[in-house]
Amino acid sequence: MDGNPGSVLNGNQQWDHWIAFTLLLGLGLHMIFEGLKPSDADGGTPPHQHSFFKLALTAFGTSIDAMAVGVSLAFVDVNILLAAGLIGLATTTMVTLGVMLGRVVGALFGHRAEIVGGLILISVGVWILSDGL
């Protein structure tokens, strides 16, 4: 790099859309695969819990954009405490609504909701990739 902080950011921007696309594609395909698995028709078994590894991988994948925003904030004249507070509030609100909505949709539609969610993740990944290219 040439010592210019912007050149580091530009170098990361060459790869960020590929990383986001790959993670979203992998998570989306995994969701579709899980949604296509045959389910217990009796409903006698409780829903399976996700492993710590899957949750950590999902958290890492969804944090890529947050890292890019954080790096970008270093180059903009903003009140970092206010920005971090608003970003945290928005994230908390959206995650809480997503979990609540996911439980309702999952109970209503079962595995079909997981397939649709996987397709949505793949679509978002394709959109990020096409926007980055």
Side-chain angles (χ1 to χ4, degrees):
M1 298 292 158
D2 59 9
N4 180 1
S7 66
V8 173
L9 185 59
N10 289 337
N12 291 338
Q13 288 176 346
Q14 294 175 3
W15 294 99
D16 63 349
H17 50 276
W18 284 104
I19 293 169
F21 169 72
T22 303
L23 289 171
L24 290 170
L25 177 67
L27 289 171
L29 289 174
H30 179 71
M31 286 179 69
I32 291 170
F33 175 74
E34 291 292 321
L36 292 175
K37 277 186 179 177
S39 63
D40 184 13
D42 300 333
T45 59
H48 68 282
Q49 296 291 321
H50 293 290
S51 69
F52 176 77
F53 177 74
K54 286 182 183 178
L55 292 176
L57 183 62
T58 303
F60 176 76
T62 55
S63 297
I64 296 292
D65 284 340
M67 183 181 71
V69 170
V71 170
S72 300
L73 284 176
F75 299 106
V76 180
D77 184 30
V78 297
N79 181 341
I80 194 70
L81 292 177
L82 178 62
L86 291 174
I87 291 169
L89 178 64
T91 301
T92 301
T93 302
M94 296 306 285
V95 167
T96 302
L97 289 173
V99 168
M100 291 168 44
L101 182 64
R103 285 185 181 171
V104 171
V105 171
L108 289 175
F109 299 106
H111 287 290
R112 289 181 302 231
E114 202 162 8
I115 294 169
V116 171
L119 291 172
I120 290 171
L121 283 179
I122 292 171
S123 299
V124 170
V126 168
W127 178 67
I128 289 172
L129 181 62
S130 67
D131 191 48
L133 296 176

